[in-house]
Amino acid sequence: MKALKAVIFDKDGTLFDFSTTWEAWAAAFLRRIAVSDAQAELLGRRVGFDIGRQKFAPDSVVIAGTPMEVALALASELPELMVDELVDVLNEEAASAPQAEVVPLTPFLSLLRGMDLKLGVVTNDAEAPARAHLAAANVEDGFDFIAGFDSGFGAKPAPGQLLACAQAMNIAPEQIVMVGDSTHDLLAAQRAGMRAVGVLTGLAGHETLAPYADEVLPDISALPDWISSQ
């Protein structure tokens, strides 16, 4: 087995804790765009979110879907907005969502850099809010490659983003590990010919991720030891 030379991370649920970051934000956002509490509850159901409990369903489109997929799920209840306009609203609002780092990211990424690893982020979020989130955590410059669903390489579970990252880094796919909290991440890794590591800081459990992963870790803090053991 070839030594690993790079790590690609998903963003939400991997670098940032999904529930802490997005559940309170989603409730507030839905109430802002709705004209009534009843409509806010209906919009929540459209995207798999219980606004009263402030909880996402495990199969919510928000977890691994793109802003376009979320917009399409909401569009029938918001006829005053074109789908592209709704995507713009989602991206603008998402960019301001406060992110909860799973671990302090600056020292964590420095540790991986010290292991002579290149680092990337590929997310089904749009690229602009993804960069805003990384910049707010003061780690945007710590990555060699960042791509969103709108960066021109497609979206997970297709492998385009991952292969573009490999090409930009000039590293063979089999020497890269993709780390993510959803089956979309792990399937994309398989299809790109990369190693796949799941983490449990999203909403998917071990039993969901394990069939698609080389390893499932509690969170990214366990990743350096796993890489060293390979």
Side-chain angles (χ1 to χ4, degrees):
M1 184 179 298
K2 293 185 177 180
L4 292 170
K5 293 186 176 181
V7 183
I8 302 175
F9 293 97
D10 173 53
K11 179 173 67 71
D12 299 315
T14 303
L15 296 174
F16 302 102
D17 182 86
F18 186 89
S19 294
T20 303
T21 295
W22 292 107
E23 287 177 344
W25 175 89
F29 169 68
L30 291 173
R31 289 191 173 103
R32 280 197 298 273
I33 63 170
V35 298
S36 66
D37 287 346
Q39 188 187 31
E41 291 176 5
L42 178 57
L43 291 171
R45 288 197 295 273
R46 290 281 187 262
V47 295
F49 181 70
D50 184 326
I51 198 168
R53 296 174 58 243
Q54 293 194 16
K55 293 292 182 184
F56 283 100
D59 60 351
S60 167
V61 67
V62 177
I63 294 170
T66 67
M68 177 61 75
E69 290 171 323
V70 176
L72 288 170
L74 294 171
S76 63
E77 304 301 328
L78 296 167
E80 68 277 13
L81 290 174
M82 301 291 288
V83 171
D84 288 346
E85 292 174 324
L86 188 51
V87 169
D88 289 341
V89 171
L90 285 164
N91 288 339
E92 290 168 9
E93 293 285 341
S96 64
Q99 304 293 296
E101 298 174 31
V102 167
V103 299
L105 290 177
T106 297
F108 172 73
L109 297 176
S110 295
L111 175 60
L112 294 179
R113 287 285 189 189
M115 297 170 67
D116 200 28
L117 293 163
K118 290 190 175 294
L119 306 174
V121 172
V122 299
T123 174
N124 278 358
D125 197 357
E127 182 176 337
R131 287 187 176 276
H133 297 155
L134 297 170
N138 296 312
V139 295
E140 183 183 7
D141 293 339
F143 294 98
D144 301 286
F145 183 90
I146 299 169
F149 89 98
D150 56 352
S151 299
F153 311 113
K156 299 171 290 185
Q161 292 172 310
L162 282 68
L163 293 173
C165 184
Q167 184 175 20
M169 293 176 173
N170 195 28
I171 296 175
E174 60 267 26
Q175 293 179 292
I176 300 174
V177 58
M178 171 74 208
V179 183
D181 67 301
S182 76
T183 56
H184 275 38
D185 301 315
L186 307 180
L187 285 167
Q190 288 182 357
R191 292 166 182 173
M194 297 179 182
R195 306 286 296 281
V197 166
V199 288
L200 300 176
T201 40
L203 298 185
H206 187 283
E207 68 284 355
T208 299
L209 300 178
Y212 305 96
D214 294 283
E215 185 66 76
V216 178
L217 303 174
D219 58 55
I220 56 174
S221 67
L223 184 66
D225 285 345
W226 181 82
I227 291 173
S228 296
S229 72
Q230 300 306 297

